[in-house]
Amino acid sequence: MEPKLTRRDFSEKLAFGSFWTAVGASVAGMLRLLKPAVMPEASTRVKLGHPDESPPGTERYFPEHNLFVFSEGAGIHAISAICPHLGCIVKQLPEGRFECPCHGSRFNAAGEVFAGPAPSGLPWIEIRRAPNGVLYADTAVTVPAGTQWSRA
Amino acid sequence: MAEAFKSFLVNLKRLPRTFWGSLRRRGEATSDRARSQAVFSNLFLHIHSVKTHKNSLKPSFTLGLGLLTTACLVILTVTGILLMVYYKPTTELAYASIKDIHFVVPTGRMIRNLHRWAAHGMVIGVFLHMARVFYTASYRPPREFNWFAGVALLALTLALSFTGYLLPWDQLAFWATTIGVNIASSPRELTDALGLTQYFDPGGLIKQLLLGANTVGSEALIRFHLLHVMVLPIMLFAILGVHFWRIRKDGGLSRPASADPPTDGEFFPKSETKTYGLMAVVRGKTPAVGRAPENTVNSWPHLFTAEMAVFMFATAVLLVLSLTLDAPLTEAANAAIPENPAKAPWYFLGLQELVSYSGFMGGIGVPMITLLGLLLIPYLDREKGDVGVWFSGPEGRRVAIQSVFYSSALVIGLLALVINFGWLREWYPDIPQLVITFVNPGTVFTIGFAAWSFWIMRRHDSTRMAAIALFTCFLVGYIILTYVGTVHRGPNWDFYWSQADWPAH
Ligand code: HEM
Ligand code: FES
């Protein structure tokens, strides 16, 4: 037969149980401190200027934001230079492809990965036009590859 | 003259002697008995037992490796405190303060070099010490838990060097840390591939906890500094205390049964001056259980001189290194231009090699499996009778040698293939990401090593032989990958026979 839980066993279990619960709750409470509520980063908004500053067929690079901006006839798109593998900054090769110096991931001109360890392509970044007509990109907002700000 | 005044003068004259005497309560330790008393009544000496087994003093048994690691740790602590006098953990000042330490502060360069080389020494020491404990089967009961504590010490040692690497805030530091932290957050590679990241993002959480942000910046520097000078050292010293304590409670170091020949009848020789008191009941065979005490010697002087010799050896080697080789310092950190190649410290370059095929399996999967395997060794191999014998005898030595050949062939063969012909994505461009994530060359090695180990287990009908096979394979794999990552990888992580062939930029 199962031995009965005596009153003393019960209060002991209760005592230890509440002790460990208190310890657990305090530790969990303290750990919350470590998770930042506000990311202390510089603004992720990049001012690209008026669309006329990027005539079709040109491209620009914004090193502080690691951002490529390409302008074509139909529209303008932005591709992040941060490698989706482990965060190095890719280089653009003369033929328009991108190459990561850290573990050799290679991307085509549209940012799709075709060699190396990167788990996905280079992220495309959203471009918006502010009411005053100036274009902005926000490197924190990605969009599906192929999304352009269209001139139309 | 008043009596009191006279005795005051006498006391004053004797002061140096009486003060010294009060420090060393038992007077000059001229006899073995007095030295034994001194050892166990002194806070700092009493982590040693009074008597040490002769086998533990044989350099061919411990190779002095645990002590060498301890010596490096002491040097690291002292030089680290000195560096903290000038080091400033802010992104604006860190790099300049290291430069000051290196070029302006008196003896600063020497202290910095010592800290750097002792860190390398400690990592080498802890790996070799673990190998010696493993190959002499010293993890056997009752020492399983001390092996467990040891693995924690290994992880802490590596964590200390990783966090320290960021502090100079130079290009190498910044990019190695960026890569390292992204490895830690690579579970995201998995959740992304499964489409779960929006709901469940452990990778992102790890990253935010480590960096206090999404990128390496001032919050990260503060957190790494705090970990490096405070959190990790406290943990390391606490566990090291347990480690040393357990050595004593487990009955001293392990030793082969042959080290204590049974005596004929009379265990304790009659002696006028020696008495043995029971200080504590410990598990395992202490020199005094069923054996004559004659195989032990007094720790003072035999163990202490050996320890001092190891400490002096470590200090001498590190001094020579620090006088001849300067710790590196590249340009100040620049978040726009990655260092190329951005190499982590050498002991992580094997990992970096694996990570260059896929982040998650190479950086988290394989290392976690390895760590778990290490932790479990003493619980899964519980054979008896070979404690304290190198390789458990000739059979184990053969298994170890065969394993060296097997694992070298597997690792070098696959790496040569991959370096010449690429890996999955080059062969099948449309392969699903999950396959790339999981099928890393490291995965192939792990499976190959495990299969070999099971085969050895069957052939020799022994878990110990299987353990020797597995441990040896992983050790060899680690060494070869580290070597390739260190020597043969250059810009873009391309393969080069030597650094002389790197393209000039
Ligand atoms: C901070 C790192 C470490 C330090 C400072 C350290 C220090 C020591 C020292 C001084 C000894 C005495 C014997 C000797 O010198 O070989 C020892 C013994 C031992 N160590 Fe460590 N150790 C460390 C890490 C490890 C690791 C990584 C392992 C294994 C995973 C380990 C497992 C053991 C075991 C099982 C013993 C008892 C060996 C025996 O009885 O023969 N230690 N350690
Ligand atoms: S960080 Fe780009 S390939 Fe590894």
Side-chain angles (χ1 to χ4, degrees):
Chain A
M1 209 185 85
E2 280 281 294
K4 262 200 280 179
L5 191 66
T6 64
R7 179 187 301 230
R8 172 182 273 207
D9 287 345
F10 177 74
S11 34
E12 187 180 308
K13 283 212 163 58
L14 202 65
F16 276 98
S18 50
F19 174 73
W20 288 115
T21 314
V23 170
S26 323
V27 169
M30 284 187 279
L31 286 180
R32 285 191 54 197
L33 177 135
L34 301 175
K35 189 170 172 343
V38 187
M39 289 297 161
E41 266 124 48
S43 166
T44 53
R45 259 161 76 95
V46 193
K47 197 172 169 182
L48 306 181
H50 198 269
D52 295 345
E53 288 172 50
S54 308
T58 60
E59 62 176 78
R60 289 198 286 164
Y61 183 61
F62 296 84
E64 314 87 85
H65 294 95
N66 303 312
L67 192 69
F68 290 104
V69 175
F70 300 92
S71 177
E72 283 152 12
I76 299 179
H77 65 271
I79 296 182
S80 165
I82 298 175
C83 179
H85 180 225
L86 296 174
C88 287
I89 307 302
V90 301
K91 274 192 308 235
Q92 194 182 22
L93 302 180
E95 58 270 41
R97 295 184 312 178
F98 304 96
E99 186 176 72
C100 181
C102 288
H103 314 97
S105 283
R106 276 163 243 256
F107 309 87
N108 65 19
E112 287 161 18
V113 58
F114 64 89
S120 58
L122 294 173
W124 284 48
I125 300 298
E126 186 189 52
I127 298 182
R128 276 167 177 268
R129 189 175 192 171
N132 61 0
V134 173
L135 295 183
Y136 284 96
D138 187 341
T139 54
V141 183
T142 57
V143 288
T147 312
Q148 286 189 327
W149 173 81
S150 122
R151 290 183 202 279
Chain B
M1 227 183 323
E3 279 303 307
F5 189 63
K6 235 195 273 171
S7 62
F8 172 75
L9 280 184
V10 171
N11 290 351
L12 194 64
K13 219 172 81 191
R14 282 207 199 137
L15 180 65
R17 236 188 313 151
T18 44
F19 178 72
W20 189 229
S22 72
L23 245 162
R24 306 193 308 163
R25 278 166 293 173
R26 291 167 207 279
E28 204 64 49
T30 45
S31 68
D32 280 353
R33 185 164 182 272
R35 292 194 191 112
S36 314
Q37 296 275 344
V39 172
F40 66 67
S41 59
N42 177 300
L43 174 68
F44 302 102
L45 294 182
H46 97 284
I47 58 168
H48 302 90
S49 91
V50 170
K51 290 262 180 175
T52 304
H53 197 280
K54 276 185 189 153
N55 190 69
S56 306
L57 290 171
K58 271 192 355 204
S60 64
F61 183 64
T62 63
L63 308 177
L65 290 169
L67 276 178
L68 219 49
T69 314
T70 313
C72 288
L73 177 63
V74 171
I75 293 172
L76 281 166
T77 311
V78 174
T79 52
I81 291 172
L82 289 172
L83 289 174
M84 281 182 74
V85 174
Y86 287 99
Y87 177 74
K88 304 179 185 69
T90 67
T91 47
E92 294 82 29
L93 299 174
Y95 182 71
S97 68
I98 296 280
K99 263 201 156 150
D100 274 352
I101 289 170
H102 201 94
F103 293 106
V104 182
V105 173
T107 75
R109 180 186 310 205
M110 190 66 191
I111 298 297
R112 174 164 184 251
N113 291 351
L114 272 172
H115 197 73
R116 182 63 71 112
W117 301 130
H120 289 302
M122 185 163 166
V123 173
I124 299 178
V126 68
F127 273 121
L128 292 179
H129 168 60
M130 176 173 71
R132 129 35 211 157
V133 171
F134 175 81
Y135 284 119
T136 56
S138 298
Y139 54 79
R140 286 279 145 77
R143 297 183 177 79
E144 316 100 297
F145 181 75
N146 221 12
W147 172 269
F148 205 92
V151 176
L153 290 173
L154 171 75
L156 283 171
T157 306
L158 293 178
L160 269 161
S161 29
F162 177 65
T163 49
Y165 209 67
L166 177 66
L167 303 185
W169 203 250
D170 61 349
Q171 272 289 71
L172 206 54
F174 182 88
W175 287 102
T177 305
T178 299
I179 293 180
V181 170
N182 280 322
I183 292 176
S185 71
S186 66
R188 192 175 255 187
E189 194 177 300
L190 194 63
T191 50
D192 270 349
L194 297 172
L196 290 175
T197 307
Q198 320 169 23
Y199 314 106
F200 174 67
D201 182 18
L205 183 66
I206 296 173
K207 187 173 182 170
Q208 291 188 354
L209 290 184
L210 275 175
L211 296 183
N214 283 316
T215 51
V216 177
S218 57
E219 298 296 320
L221 183 56
I222 290 175
R223 286 178 186 217
F224 274 53
H225 180 250
L226 182 66
L227 283 171
H228 187 75
V229 305
M230 183 110 163
V231 179
L232 296 173
I234 289 177
M235 289 166 72
L236 184 84
F237 279 108
I239 298 178
L240 193 59
V242 173
H243 198 61
F244 288 163
W245 174 252
R246 285 298 292 238
I247 292 175
R248 289 207 52 193
K249 296 293 124 179
D250 294 340
L253 294 193
S254 61
R255 55 191 161 272
S258 61
D260 296 298
T263 50
D264 31 8
E266 198 185 340
F267 288 160
F268 298 102
K270 291 204 172 61
S271 154
E272 300 303 316
T273 51
K274 277 191 206 163
T275 54
Y276 288 89
L278 185 63
M279 294 307 155
V281 179
V282 296
R283 297 207 285 159
K285 288 183 177 169
T286 68
V289 177
R291 308 277 185 198
E294 261 40 56
N295 275 328
T296 63
V297 291
N298 274 334
S299 296
W300 183 353
H302 299 278
L303 176 61
F304 296 170
T305 45
E307 286 182 353
M308 285 193 287
V310 173
F311 269 68
M312 282 169 70
F313 171 77
T315 313
V317 170
L318 291 174
L319 276 174
V320 170
L321 271 177
S322 303
L323 283 168
T324 48
L325 284 172
D326 278 347
L329 188 65
T330 58
E331 306 94 76
N334 179 345
I337 306 166
E339 183 81 350
N340 190 4
K343 289 196 177 186
W346 61 266
Y347 33 84
F348 287 134
L349 289 185
L351 273 189
Q352 209 171 326
E353 175 68 24
L354 290 186
V355 153
S356 77
Y357 304 101
S358 73
F360 178 70
M361 206 56 199
I364 302 258
V366 173
M368 282 300 151
I369 293 172
T370 311
L371 213 58
L372 195 71
L374 280 177
L375 282 175
L376 293 183
I377 289 173
Y379 302 95
L380 296 183
D381 163 37
R382 301 184 75 87
E383 283 168 18
K384 293 195 178 72
D386 55 355
V387 175
V389 182
W390 277 96
F391 300 99
S392 305
E395 189 188 0
R397 200 178 299 258
R398 269 199 311 279
V399 168
I401 292 173
Q402 290 161 1
S403 304
V404 169
F405 283 112
Y406 170 81
S407 52
S408 311
L410 178 63
V411 176
I412 296 176
L414 187 58
L415 278 184
L417 180 87
V418 168
I419 286 166
N420 283 306
F421 301 106
W423 187 236
L424 299 176
R425 188 156 7 233
E426 282 80 6
W427 304 340
Y428 311 104
D430 296 322
I431 200 164
Q433 178 56 37
L434 268 183
V435 178
I436 296 193
T437 296
F438 279 104
V439 188
N440 187 294
T443 323
V444 179
F445 298 149
T446 307
I447 294 173
F449 295 164
W452 166 258
S453 167
F454 277 112
W455 186 70
I456 292 283
M457 191 188 302
R458 262 191 57 190
R459 206 172 74 148
H460 293 259
D461 191 20
S462 154
T463 50
R464 170 65 175 160
M465 291 304 132
I468 291 183
L470 195 62
F471 187 90
T472 309
C473 284
F474 270 97
L475 199 63
V476 169
Y478 175 82
I479 292 172
I480 295 178
L481 286 170
T482 305
Y483 165 77
V484 170
T486 309
V487 176
H488 293 309
R489 290 301 188 173
N492 294 357
W493 210 249
D494 285 333
F495 183 88
Y496 294 93
W497 281 109
S498 91
Q499 192 158 348
D501 307 334
W502 288 13
H505 42 202

